[in-house]
Amino acid sequence: MLSMHILILSPHTDDAELGCGGSITKFLENGDSIYWIVFSTAEESLPAGLPKNTLEREFLNVTQNLGLCNEEIQVCNFKVRYLHENRQQILDKLIEVRKKFKPDLVIGPSINDYHQDHQIIANEMIRAFKTTASIISYELPWNHITFNTQLFIKLKDEHMSKKCDLLKNYKSQYMKERLYFSEEFIFGLARSRGVQCNSKYAEAFEVIRWML
Ligand SMILES: [Zn+2]
């Protein structure tokens, strides 16, 4: 497979790891170039007593773990749950990245995701890239009423164990005992998506634009 320029959009730290952490591992193995933007480090939603930059530090551990350098990531500090107040700044940022990085494929949240920040990123992603790149959306089942499993990225054991390793960096989220951080759930969902495409594991995506 030819290597691609792949832009990953995460409204908050951890969204992309949960939605497509196995696929990111596979892309890097394939020699694809990644550029990854996080829009909010959600300082206001941390468990009490933790330093404000906890989620940023945890995200940087993830990218370090993947061997990504500072030029391949961008961490913004928009206020969590208030991304709608910064729509134009977010669009401007995406257009700047479109010009510099020229992604072939953009991966972000679904337009069927009901978290207000995820909706803003999904919409601005489509505005910025609809005529220049393929666009797909990752699955975060707890945020969807419906999700169309239109595209599958098949994964092996090693991709899944790497996905779990990446998520283990988010100690602040494990403290909150979120159900979707359990390995049982992560492997269960990947097994279900794998069954749909004759693979042991997979991650599913919605297709917004596909350009060949
Ligand atoms: Zn999020």
Side-chain angles (χ1 to χ4, degrees):
M1 220 161 97
L2 284 176
S3 65
M4 291 190 289
H5 277 205
I6 302 173
L7 174 64
I8 313 278
L9 303 179
S10 251
H12 315 102
T13 56
D14 82 18
D15 289 321
E17 293 88 328
L18 288 160
C20 63
S23 302
I24 292 173
T25 306
K26 195 173 172 182
F27 295 144
L28 290 169
E29 194 180 275
N30 185 49
D32 294 320
S33 303
I34 299 277
Y35 191 76
W36 189 340
I37 310 178
V38 167
F39 292 87
S40 173
T41 52
E43 292 177 356
E44 293 80 3
S45 9
L46 281 167
L50 290 180
K52 279 194 175 315
N53 67 346
T54 298
L55 276 157
E56 180 174 0
R57 277 205 341 257
E58 291 172 339
F59 173 70
L60 294 176
N61 289 340
V62 168
T63 55
Q64 219 167 48
N65 206 308
L66 285 167
L68 294 171
C69 62
N70 288 343
E71 288 68 41
E72 293 169 301
I73 56 173
Q74 188 178 153
V75 182
C76 314
N77 214 355
F78 294 114
K79 192 169 158 42
V80 65
R81 291 188 293 274
Y82 286 86
L83 294 192
H84 57 275
E85 290 184 356
N86 299 286
R87 283 187 80 140
Q88 191 55 40
Q89 274 170 280
I90 289 166
L91 180 65
D92 291 345
K93 192 173 284 297
L94 294 176
I95 290 171
E96 195 185 308
V97 173
R98 184 180 77 201
K99 288 180 185 154
K100 283 190 188 153
F101 182 63
K102 298 185 175 62
D104 305 297
L105 173 65
V106 181
I107 310 180
S110 164
I111 42 172
N112 292 315
D113 186 318
Y114 280 82
H115 188 298
Q116 69 266 50
D117 288 345
H118 293 205
Q119 286 202 353
I120 296 300
I121 300 303
N123 277 283
E124 297 312 316
M125 163 177 80
I126 295 168
R127 277 178 82 194
F129 297 101
K130 62 190 182 305
T131 59
T132 61
S134 294
I135 308 173
I136 60 174
S137 300
Y138 46 73
E139 181 179 22
L140 302 173
W142 54 97
N143 280 347
H144 307 303
I145 304 296
T146 58
F147 185 84
N148 300 312
T149 56
Q150 297 159 321
L151 182 145
F152 296 96
I153 296 183
K154 296 180 178 185
L155 301 172
K156 295 182 178 156
D157 291 277
E158 58 264 33
H159 304 127
M160 288 306 299
S161 58
K162 185 76 175 180
K163 177 172 183 165
C164 289
D165 286 351
L166 298 180
L167 287 167
K168 280 183 192 133
N169 287 298
Y170 289 104
K171 295 193 176 59
S172 65
Q173 301 306 297
Y174 280 98
M175 282 168 77
K176 291 167 120 180
E177 297 182 343
R178 296 202 189 280
L179 285 175
Y180 52 79
F181 260 89
S182 83
E183 283 202 10
E184 202 182 358
F185 164 72
I186 291 160
F187 276 90
L189 179 65
R191 284 286 271 169
S192 302
R193 296 315 176 209
V195 165
Q196 289 177 274
C197 63
N198 197 28
S199 169
K200 185 168 179 187
Y201 300 112
E203 284 168 342
F205 298 84
E206 288 182 329
V207 177
I208 294 172
R209 272 277 194 266
W210 193 250
M211 296 189 192
L212 295 172

